[in-house]
Amino acid sequence: MISVIIPVYNTEQYLPRCIDSVLASAYQEFEILLVNDGSTDHSPDICRQYAGKDSRIRLINQKNQGVSAARNRGIDASTGDWIVFLDSDDRISPDFLHMVAQEEYQELDFLLFDFIRSAQGTLSAGHPPETIRYTADTMQQLIRRILVPQPLTPDGSTDFRTPCARAYKRSVLNRFSIRFSPDLSIGEDLLFNLEYQLRAASAAYLSSPVYFYDIHMGSSSRRYHPGLQTNHASLQRFIKTALENCGMFSALEDDFYSYALENLSYVLIRDIFSPLNPKTCLKKRRLCSEMRKNEIYRQAMKYNRKSGILPRRILIFFFRIRCYFITGLISRISYWYLGRKEFS
């Protein structure tokens, strides 16, 4: 049995396509948990219609609490051996669940697949995938890629920080009480995957694109998120604590601080110097000064010369020497460049 958990919040335009993609699966032993997170459009009506037609579909209603709470509610209500997460504006290929259900993978703790990320495109059953297995001795390779993403194969398109395009064992989630953090508005996916993979004993990567991530102007990744500085400071602490609790911090220290530099540049580009940020220049400078007091950032900046791509190293360099005018200029240029690249 596979439990497909779909958090739903105001996605009436995409929701039928999403649910239909699961119903079209080659493997039919699944349940769909539609967790309506306080939608105010016609999404609840669509959910009720589908649940009334198919007994495998369950509708769970809750007040708006965010995607983390919705996914956690789905985990708690699930009954499957495997758990698959699907966002309500995305869709999956017909062979995704079929591959998860293959007998040869049932003793593993999680499965990782590729995805298609584009503004337009098609997704259909593909060729037999290349498979790479990971055991306790090699799991660190996958954990490292959460902090510093690198393809597993030359043509791979895996996203190591999303809970989508992968399958989790419900028994592992419950044994270690692994859930999405309600204290984070961004980055909860990364933390969830890190905590899971720190405890998973085995895995397999299947180089098959099974998940279509639909990019549109309403995507959460494209919104302005005020308060990102506070959120990401908490995220860093949670990640460091998770690594320390599992005795992995020393082995992944360089990777952690490389991620911290990425974290810092993301806050500068997407929050403090975002064109959508209405704060005054003086307030932005004060926020930069506050960020410099963060001990993790202070340690991470010592790694700047040897970590990350050149544009990021330049951005962090000017931030480190308190040249906030140039820091802001580079951040704004990066904001527009990344936006165009994401939607291209």
Side-chain angles (χ1 to χ4, degrees):
M1 171 67 76
I2 302 173
S3 296
V4 181
I5 298 174
I6 306 177
V8 178
Y9 181 72
N10 291 351
T11 50
E12 60 180 8
Q13 180 180 353
Y14 308 98
L15 185 56
R17 183 189 66 184
C18 171
I19 301 174
D20 288 340
S21 74
V22 182
L23 296 177
S25 297
Y27 185 77
Q28 290 286 304
E29 293 298 320
F30 60 78
E31 64 176 357
I32 300 176
L33 294 95
L34 300 171
V35 186
N36 172 40
D37 188 40
S39 296
T40 56
D41 65 356
H42 292 291
S43 295
D45 297 330
I46 296 172
C47 291
R48 281 190 289 270
Q49 291 171 8
Y50 274 93
K53 295 177 181 178
D54 195 317
S55 61
R56 296 172 299 177
I57 302 176
R58 283 191 282 158
L59 171 59
I60 301 172
N61 289 300
Q62 66 178 31
K63 295 181 180 179
N64 181 246
Q65 302 173 55
V67 67
S68 290
R71 287 173 177 159
N72 290 341
R73 185 79 178 273
I75 295 172
D76 293 340
S78 64
T79 61
D81 302 297
W82 291 97
I83 288 182
V84 167
F85 295 102
L86 174 58
D87 288 344
S88 57
D89 53 352
D90 299 336
R91 57 195 188 275
I92 61 173
S93 70
D95 56 347
F96 183 12
L97 302 186
H98 175 73
M99 285 188 282
V100 173
Q102 294 301 298
E103 183 64 29
E104 61 184 301
Y105 304 131
Q106 298 315 300
E107 298 304 317
L108 302 178
D109 284 342
F110 85 100
L111 303 174
L112 183 65
F113 299 85
D114 281 349
F115 69 103
I116 296 174
R117 188 169 183 266
S118 174
Q120 295 184 17
T122 59
L123 185 63
S124 59
H127 300 292
E130 175 185 354
T131 302
I132 304 175
R133 290 178 176 265
Y134 297 87
T135 62
D137 295 333
T138 55
M139 282 296 292
Q140 186 173 311
Q141 298 177 26
L142 292 180
I143 297 171
R144 175 172 284 111
R145 281 172 166 81
I146 297 177
L147 300 173
V148 184
Q150 294 176 337
L152 293 171
T153 61
D155 299 324
S157 58
T158 300
D159 187 335
F160 298 96
R161 297 174 177 180
T162 178
C164 303
R166 57 177 63 204
Y168 304 85
K169 275 291 178 67
R170 186 168 65 94
S171 59
V172 176
L173 290 171
N174 290 336
R175 186 186 318 144
F176 296 102
S177 301
I178 301 171
R179 295 294 188 270
F180 292 90
S181 173
D183 298 321
L184 297 172
S185 59
I186 299 177
E188 73 284 353
D189 298 349
L190 183 154
L191 181 63
F192 178 85
N193 281 336
L194 179 66
E195 291 181 331
Y196 188 90
Q197 290 180 208
L198 284 169
R199 293 166 175 84
S202 57
Y205 162 63
L206 289 76
S207 61
S208 179
V210 300
Y211 191 98
F212 187 100
Y213 173 50
D214 194 9
I215 301 175
H216 50 85
M217 294 306 296
S219 297
S220 61
S221 62
R222 298 184 58 81
R223 300 173 191 154
Y224 169 56
H225 296 275
L228 196 61
Q229 177 185 356
T230 302
N231 180 88
H232 274 36
S234 298
L235 174 60
Q236 288 182 125
R237 293 195 304 270
F238 294 156
I239 291 174
K240 190 171 187 288
T241 298
L243 292 171
E244 290 172 340
N245 288 344
C246 292
M248 291 292 291
F249 183 77
S250 59
L252 297 171
E253 183 173 354
D254 288 358
D255 302 289
F256 171 75
Y257 284 120
S258 177
Y259 169 72
L261 291 173
E262 177 191 336
N263 182 303
L264 171 57
S265 63
Y266 189 86
V267 173
L268 291 172
I269 295 169
R270 296 288 190 176
D271 181 8
I272 294 181
F273 293 108
S274 166
L276 303 178
N277 188 344
K279 293 184 176 67
T280 65
C281 292
L282 179 61
K283 180 60 176 178
K284 292 176 182 179
R285 291 175 63 89
R286 288 175 178 171
L287 291 174
C288 287
S289 297
E290 291 176 11
M291 290 176 66
R292 291 183 53 83
K293 298 176 183 178
N294 184 304
E295 182 59 29
I296 293 179
Y297 286 151
R298 292 172 64 87
Q299 289 294 325
M301 285 190 287
K302 298 176 182 179
Y303 291 75
N304 189 46
R305 289 185 179 181
K306 62 178 182 179
S307 176
I309 60 176
L310 181 60
R312 190 179 82 186
R313 296 204 303 269
I314 294 174
L315 173 64
I316 299 301
F317 169 77
F318 283 106
F319 174 81
R320 187 178 186 182
I321 65 173
R322 298 182 176 86
C323 188
Y324 298 138
F325 174 78
I326 298 181
T327 300
L329 179 62
I330 297 173
S331 296
R332 287 189 291 273
I333 294 173
S334 300
Y335 179 92
W336 291 115
Y337 172 77
L338 293 173
R340 289 171 62 89
K341 182 179 179 181
E342 180 181 17
F343 203 67
S344 63

